[in-house]
Amino acid sequence: MTSLSESRRRFDGCVALVTGGTSGIGAAAAARFAAEGARVLITGRNDARGAEIASSHDNVHFHHVDVTDRAAIDALVTMIGATFGRLDVVVNSAGVVNARPFASMSTHHWHEMIDTNLTGAFHVSQSALPLLRSTVADGKAPSTSIVNLSSLNGLRVDPGMSAYGSAKAALLALTEGTAIELIESGVRVNCVSPGAIDTPMSSSTAGDKKNAEAFTSAIPAGRYGTADEVAAVILFLASQEAPFIVGANLVIDGGATLPSRHPDLLNMFNMKP
Amino acid sequence: MTSFSGLTVIVTGAAGAMGEQEARMFAERGANVVLTDVRTDEGTDIADDIGKSAVFVPHDVSSESGWNTVIETALSAFGSVNVLVNNAAISKAIKLIDTDVDTFDLFYRINQLGVYLGMKSVVEPMKAAGGGSIINISSVAGLRGASTLFAYSASKWAVRGMTQSAALELARFKIRVNAVFPGVIDTPMNAPNPPGMNDVLVKTTPLRRMGESHEVAEAVLFLASPGASFATGAELAVDGGMSI
Ligand SMILES: NC(=O)c1ccc[n+]([C@@H]2O[C@H](COP(=O)([O-])OP(=O)(O)OC[C@H]3O[C@@H](n4cnc5c(N)ncnc54)[C@H](O)[C@@H]3O)[C@@H](O)[C@H]2O)c1
């Protein structure tokens, strides 16, 4: 992990809700929010990992919530309101990814991708909205913020990713639509689109080592990113350092979405990473 | 606080509103800063005010030999070049039908050629430093068409394109190249706009206000920081939602 030692405390007194906070990018973001002074609630479906992450950080609390379960989300938000009286940040990081060829894709797979990656963010954002708004209206924060996690696949879809990519592209539309509606009440909505990041999710798709090398060679930076590098971006967008940033999508992919990346072309000009 | 201690940052157009803010904030967070601008008096005053960690170089960004002087000054004063902010630009509301060739050429030379020369000049010193970070300031007019800013918009789209190509080419040297797209920011650049134009611009900004220079500067500093170490070729709009 890159050393990103920053001694700032941009989230003192704040409350942050990170869905999918038991793993990968969500867990890294939760750790950073807590290190910068926030009280953090992480949600996920894996109780063992949730308990482990909560116990290794002060001020990180785990709640077993599936983002497709609206009643459970509403109950969690009610609890946050009653306990803390405020909510400053929502990070929609819960997601699932599986590659499936379109021709043989089951309806079940399609729904799984859309329900968790897209509809989950809808449920959590809408459920949390009154509390995000009242935190601003009560003068507790100049603005509150939602950060959605889309993906490189939301911009440029890889083979096998038509369902996942559809959900992630739609999440960009959700970001823009909500950004423009919610800014009036002081809720900023932005999006981060990570490329190849070294997390349990990416190793599930990259597969064997040879495959991983092929992936790496398509990244101009010549390596995978770390979950912590994405977390740093999430915190910046959620912080009061970004008050004029509304509806933005920040791609963190080591340059992978840039055009003209064919390896043969790079060889021709002696430009291998 | 993210520390830029020990790093040398070049900011062009640093006598202007955003450039000054960026230079000051980099200096506050420990960096050495090289300020450049065609406005020598203002630039010198700002560098003097920042103190020992700042030098001012009178510099027209469209001059290749001028860039040599900037790099030599940075190296002799501080020993390295780690960050470049291509911020200098001119702006003027002129429609296509009123734009003559000389005007178009002037926008091209300052806003486009200047950014290209800046990026080219820092490659060798950044390679020598083991990597670096370039932040190009484009504009919302580089993401969308702009009905009254024809030449400006063309030059800012060019900045966007050059950012992507340079990011691809320079990644192997660990030089990250990213772009920031400010919306309507409350700086002297918008002062000469025709009467009423700024009100209209604010109305088309979902946040319903102009941005402040420091809000753009924070984004620039973030992209230069270790927190953005996997960001290259990225495009960050700081525009109150204007480009949605
Ligand atoms: N103010 C806005 O609303 C806005 C919006 C979008 C983008 N931007 C961009 O942000 C950047 C900074 O703008 P600002 O608002 O601070 O403007 P500004 O006019 O206050 O500053 C620009 C500076 O660039 C300098 N400059 C001009 N020509 C130069 C040359 N040939 N060589 C060196 N320096 C030169 C000027 O002297 C000035 O000091 C510019 O790139 C601008 O296009 C501004």
Side-chain angles (χ1 to χ4, degrees):
Chain A
M1 198 183 270
T2 11
S3 147
L4 300 171
S5 56
E6 291 179 81
S7 54
R8 289 181 294 181
R9 291 182 68 89
R10 291 172 292 182
F11 297 94
D12 263 333
C14 294
V15 177
L17 169 62
V18 182
T19 71
T22 55
S23 176
I25 291 167
R32 273 187 174 256
F33 277 116
E36 291 207 31
R39 290 159 290 179
V40 185
L41 297 104
I42 58 172
T43 70
R45 295 171 301 173
N46 186 324
D47 292 345
R49 272 210 312 263
E52 188 189 318
I53 289 165
S55 68
S56 53
H57 301 280
D58 287 342
N59 277 328
V60 176
H61 307 280
F62 170 71
H63 292 266
H64 184 114
V65 173
D66 185 322
V67 291
T68 61
D69 180 351
R70 179 62 179 255
I73 297 162
D74 288 343
L76 175 65
V77 171
T78 303
M79 186 284 284
I80 295 172
T83 311
F84 303 106
R86 67 188 289 170
L87 180 59
D88 299 82
V89 180
V90 170
V91 180
N92 282 309
S93 183
V96 285
V97 62
N98 274 306
R100 289 280 189 286
F102 176 74
S104 58
M105 180 184 295
S106 67
T107 310
H108 173 80
H109 171 77
W110 173 263
H111 282 301
E112 190 191 3
M113 292 300 116
I114 301 294
D115 290 354
T116 307
N117 295 308
L118 176 61
T119 314
F122 155 72
H123 284 315
V124 175
S125 300
Q126 198 186 53
S127 179
L129 184 57
L131 194 50
L132 289 167
R133 282 181 159 158
S134 65
T135 302
V136 178
D138 296 347
K140 289 174 179 153
S143 68
T144 54
S145 142
I146 297 173
V147 181
N148 293 323
L149 270 292
S150 182
S151 162
L152 199 142
N153 270 290
L155 303 161
R156 188 218 65 188
V157 183
D158 285 323
M161 293 293 175
S162 56
Y164 179 74
S166 296
K168 290 302 194 179
L171 198 51
L172 290 170
L174 183 70
T175 300
E176 295 198 354
T178 50
I180 216 155
E181 283 188 34
L182 307 189
I183 191 59
E184 274 175 65
S185 52
V187 182
R188 291 184 302 110
V189 187
N190 291 292
C191 188
V192 177
S193 294
I197 308 297
D198 192 6
T199 70
M201 186 186 270
S202 60
S203 38
S204 73
T205 48
D208 57 45
K209 187 158 175 292
K210 192 164 148 259
N211 216 338
E213 270 162 27
F215 268 64
T216 309
S217 72
I219 305 169
R223 63 172 176 89
Y224 276 54
T226 67
D228 199 42
E229 288 177 308
V230 181
V233 178
I234 295 170
L235 266 80
F236 169 69
L237 290 174
S239 79
Q240 300 303 340
E241 291 178 348
F244 205 55
I245 304 185
V246 176
N249 175 38
L250 195 43
V251 180
I252 303 299
D253 67 351
T257 33
L258 299 168
S260 323
R261 274 296 305 161
H262 197 282
D264 293 350
L265 197 64
L266 297 187
N267 282 333
M268 228 180 276
F269 287 91
N270 187 25
M271 277 174 43
K272 285 292 276 182
Chain B
M1 201 190 279
T2 310
S3 174
F4 292 99
S5 142
L7 301 183
T8 303
V9 179
I10 299 171
V11 181
T12 69
M18 276 184 230
E20 170 180 356
Q21 195 61 239
E22 285 148 14
R24 286 186 185 278
M25 283 166 57
F26 272 115
E28 275 164 22
R29 298 182 197 180
N32 299 313
V33 282
V34 178
L35 298 88
T36 92
D37 205 294
V38 287
R39 289 158 58 198
T40 302
D41 292 349
E42 293 91 332
T44 308
D45 286 350
I46 295 164
D48 286 351
D49 191 51
I50 293 174
K52 277 208 315 293
S53 59
V55 293
F56 174 75
V57 184
H59 171 223
D60 179 337
V61 289
S62 65
S63 152
E64 190 166 18
S65 61
W67 273 103
N68 295 336
T69 312
V70 171
I71 301 299
E72 281 160 19
T73 307
L75 292 177
S76 63
F78 304 123
S80 66
V81 175
N82 308 95
V83 177
L84 167 66
V85 185
N86 277 313
N87 163 78
I90 53 168
S91 168
K92 191 166 187 218
I94 325 174
K95 294 182 291 188
L96 160 66
I97 51 171
D98 299 327
T99 303
D100 58 30
V101 170
D102 286 347
T103 304
F104 193 86
D105 195 53
L106 187 66
F107 275 93
Y108 156 72
R109 292 193 64 79
I110 297 174
N111 295 6
Q112 178 176 353
L113 185 84
V115 170
Y116 138 69
L117 288 175
M119 292 199 288
K120 194 174 179 190
S121 310
V122 298
V123 170
E124 285 309 319
M126 284 186 180
K127 275 165 76 175
S133 169
I134 298 172
I135 294 112
N136 295 326
I137 309 298
S138 179
S139 163
V140 165
L143 293 169
R144 296 280 187 272
S147 54
T148 56
L149 297 165
F150 181 76
Y152 179 78
S153 174
S155 69
K156 291 299 188 178
W157 275 85
V159 170
R160 183 185 191 191
M162 291 191 296
T163 300
Q164 295 203 2
S165 301
L168 276 170
E169 185 181 334
L170 303 181
R172 70 202 166 111
F173 305 129
K174 300 199 185 330
I175 299 172
R176 298 184 296 106
V177 189
N178 294 293
V180 172
F181 299 77
V184 188
I185 311 299
D186 190 8
T187 77
M189 189 170 265
N190 285 307
N193 287 343
M197 178 168 161
N198 289 345
D199 291 342
V200 174
L201 294 175
V202 166
K203 279 196 193 117
T204 56
T205 301
L207 203 46
R208 295 286 183 276
R209 64 171 174 88
M210 287 195 180
E212 302 289 334
S213 292
H214 73 85
E215 295 178 306
V216 177
E218 285 287 6
V220 170
L221 266 76
F222 174 70
L223 287 172
S225 77
S229 46
F230 202 52
T232 194
E235 305 184 330
L236 180 53
V238 184
D239 66 354
M242 190 185 211
S243 61
I244 297 173

